[in-house]
Amino acid sequence: VKKDLGEAARLLRQAAVSGHTTAQFRLGFMLLTGSAGAKNLAEAAHWFRLSAEQGNGDAQLRLGYMYAQGEGLPRDLVRALMWLNISAAQKTDRAALMRDGLAELMTKEEVIETCRDSLTAYKVPKVVHFRDELPKSNVGKILRRLLK
């Protein structure tokens, strides 16, 4: 069977419009890379967002990256951190690495704003302290009592 990326994009679009999260992600990726025609970063972000809102960790990672880089979306470190945080919670290792690197570039106020956007009210920190490392026991567990 001969590869026809244009036909693949057409079929993916049909599935994506009907709400199929994997199709939304794959269509977004095709639009991002231009593998089925011209690149369209804004439309790619649209499909990544729809897939991300349905819980697709890879789409959440890609959307966070696009916000961080200002690729197809206005650069917004708060939204980038929010999407990378959500993706990292699903055990997406690359998202955790990107999130941690991005968090180092943000101010305390931006971190709190991100928490307001992605956490329930009682979990939002009132104060943020940046530390190079956390106190740990001999077996590697974080000593939470020493953090208070």
Side-chain angles (χ1 to χ4, degrees):
V1 176
K2 183 181 174 191
K3 276 188 179 180
D4 184 352
L5 293 178
E7 179 66 8
R10 186 186 70 75
L11 294 171
L12 279 173
R13 186 175 297 277
Q14 284 179 347
V17 167
S18 68
H20 191 277
T21 186
T22 303
Q24 291 167 339
F25 173 75
R26 290 189 177 160
L27 178 60
F29 195 79
M30 290 180 90
L31 291 163
L32 177 73
T33 61
S35 60
K39 284 185 179 184
N40 187 335
L41 299 179
E43 189 178 358
H46 166 76
W47 291 112
F48 286 141
R49 179 178 289 110
L50 291 177
S51 184
E53 287 172 350
Q54 292 187 66
N56 184 310
D58 292 326
Q60 294 162 347
L61 168 66
R62 180 54 65 178
L63 194 57
Y65 179 81
M66 290 178 81
Y67 271 117
Q69 298 299 314
E71 233 181 54
L73 296 163
R75 189 166 193 252
D76 186 339
L77 297 182
V78 172
R79 288 195 190 282
L81 187 62
M82 179 192 78
W83 282 113
L84 292 172
N85 227 358
I86 293 169
S87 181
Q90 294 190 47
K91 307 292 188 232
T92 310
D93 294 336
R94 286 186 305 156
L97 291 171
M98 287 178 66
R99 175 203 59 202
D100 295 345
L102 183 61
E104 291 178 9
L105 303 174
M106 297 176 71
T107 65
K108 294 176 183 182
E109 292 77 19
E110 288 172 324
V111 171
I112 291 172
E113 184 181 338
T114 299
C115 291
R116 275 194 200 108
D117 289 346
S118 58
L119 298 173
T120 55
Y122 74 92
K123 292 184 177 181
V124 175
K126 292 174 182 56
V127 179
V128 173
H129 296 283
F130 295 112
R131 297 179 179 245
D132 291 328
E133 59 183 59
L134 298 174
K136 294 182 181 177
S137 70
N138 293 337
V139 294
K141 288 189 174 185
I142 296 173
L143 300 171
R144 296 172 192 254
R145 291 182 186 178
L146 295 178
L147 294 175
K148 294 184 179 195

